[in-house]
Amino acid sequence: MRSGNPALKDNTFLDLGSGTLVRNDAGAMSINGTVNKTALLLVITLAGALFTWSQFSTAMAAGNPGAVMPYVWGGAIGGFVVALVTVFKKEWAMYTAPLYAVLEGLFLGAVSAMFELRFPGIVMQAVGLTFGTLAALLMAYRSGLIKATENFKLGVVAATGGIALLYLVNIGMRLFGFDGMGFIHESSLMGIAFSGFVVVIAALNLVLDFDFIETGVEQGAPKYMEWYAAFGLLVTLIWLYLEMLRLLSKLQSRN
């Protein structure tokens, strides 16, 4: 949680002029600052999503739905690259986090429009469930009902890594001409159970994000970490939303 500056420690800076330790809250990460930056990133993401949603509607009216695919691939690949840059260069988060939000917004808008076309009403259900889950877990975390203990963190991180590995193996199998793991996409009982499990793990990652933010504030992390924490929270929310879409689509496919 520290920056590269060795003087930053325990919310204090050494005031060489007087030889005393003084708090420097103006240059430290805060809860309010992180919340504001998260809200801004969500607005940027929404703006990008509304743009590609409208583009999809226009493309459908013209009988050319494939016209939005550049936004899908550009947003997905571009967002992934920017996310990697942000992870390795946290101090750049002030610039890379908004760019990530734009790119993911372009991706989400097109994908959401495709789901909505097939399952009318599914997008608002997924959005409601995503933010409802965020609110519920935030209240549970603040009340102490859920605590981010070391064992809890280890379990969530291990499960998240396992899911990511499973998805990568599935993508690799499809690239080499194999059918892949059907239950990931199918609406069978096993497929629904898998999606439900992934939704739970994605939701529990929000608790890790809350703990990261709280720890950063307590330790006096530098101000730019507000952007990085907001970026991390956005990544989790996007993953949770997409998994909600997948789960709801599987459930509706069985009706």
Side-chain angles (χ1 to χ4, degrees), residues 7-191:
L8 186 63
K9 183 179 179 182
D10 298 331
N11 289 337
T12 59
F13 289 94
L14 180 62
D15 183 357
L16 299 178
S18 62
T20 60
L21 290 175
V22 296
R23 289 189 61 86
N24 190 358
D25 292 331
M29 180 181 178
S30 68
I31 294 291
N32 287 339
T34 305
V35 170
N36 292 338
K37 289 172 176 60
T38 301
L40 177 59
L41 292 184
L42 287 172
V43 170
I44 294 173
T45 304
L46 177 61
L50 289 176
F51 172 77
T52 45
W53 183 291
S54 65
Q55 291 297 308
F56 181 81
S57 299
T58 302
M60 287 300 297
N64 184 26
V68 299
M69 293 310 295
Y71 296 112
V72 175
W73 289 110
I77 297 174
F80 178 72
V81 172
V82 173
L84 286 179
V85 172
T86 307
V87 168
F88 288 104
K89 286 289 185 180
K90 296 178 178 62
E91 62 272 21
W92 293 0
M94 179 179 180
Y95 309 102
T96 57
L99 178 57
Y100 172 81
V102 170
L103 292 169
E104 287 300 307
L106 296 177
F107 168 73
L108 290 177
V111 170
S112 298
M114 293 175 187
F115 272 94
E116 185 70 17
L117 181 64
R118 185 176 179 186
F119 306 103
I122 193 174
V123 169
M124 289 308 299
Q125 293 175 21
V127 170
L129 286 171
T130 298
F131 284 98
T133 301
L134 172 65
L137 284 175
L138 179 58
M139 288 189 290
Y141 179 78
R142 297 300 297 171
S143 66
L145 188 61
I146 296 180
K147 296 182 179 180
T149 63
E150 290 305 313
N151 287 336
F152 177 87
K153 293 178 185 178
L154 181 62
V156 173
V157 170
T160 303
I163 292 169
L165 181 61
L166 196 63
Y167 279 159
L168 287 174
V169 170
N170 183 68
I171 292 172
M173 291 176 67
R174 287 179 174 273
L175 287 176
F176 286 100
F178 296 97
D179 291 336
M181 304 174 189
F183 64 88
I184 292 180
H185 306 287
E186 294 174 356
S187 57
S188 62
L189 291 178
M190 185 176 180

Side-chain angles (χ1 to χ4, degrees), residues 209-233:
D209 294 337
F210 300 152
D211 180 71
F212 178 87
I213 294 170
E214 190 173 62
T215 302
V217 172
E218 290 175 353
Q219 295 188 2
K223 199 71 174 176
Y224 66 77
M225 289 300 287
E226 292 177 352
W227 284 105
Y228 185 76
F231 156 77
L233 189 55

Side-chain angles (χ1 to χ4, degrees), residues 191-250:
I192 291 173
F194 174 76
S195 288
F197 173 73
V198 176
V199 165
V200 170
I201 298 303
L204 291 179
N205 269 270
L206 289 171
V207 177
L208 300 189
D209 294 337
F210 300 152
D211 180 71
F212 178 87
I213 294 170
E214 190 173 62
T215 302
V217 172
E218 290 175 353
Q219 295 188 2
K223 199 71 174 176
Y224 66 77
M225 289 300 287
E226 292 177 352
W227 284 105
Y228 185 76
F231 156 77
L233 189 55
L234 181 64
V235 170
T236 303
L237 286 173
I238 290 174
W239 179 32
L240 179 59
Y241 169 72
L242 290 173
E243 294 301 340
M244 286 288 189
L245 275 179
R246 187 192 298 271
L247 176 59
L248 290 171
S249 67
K250 288 181 178 181

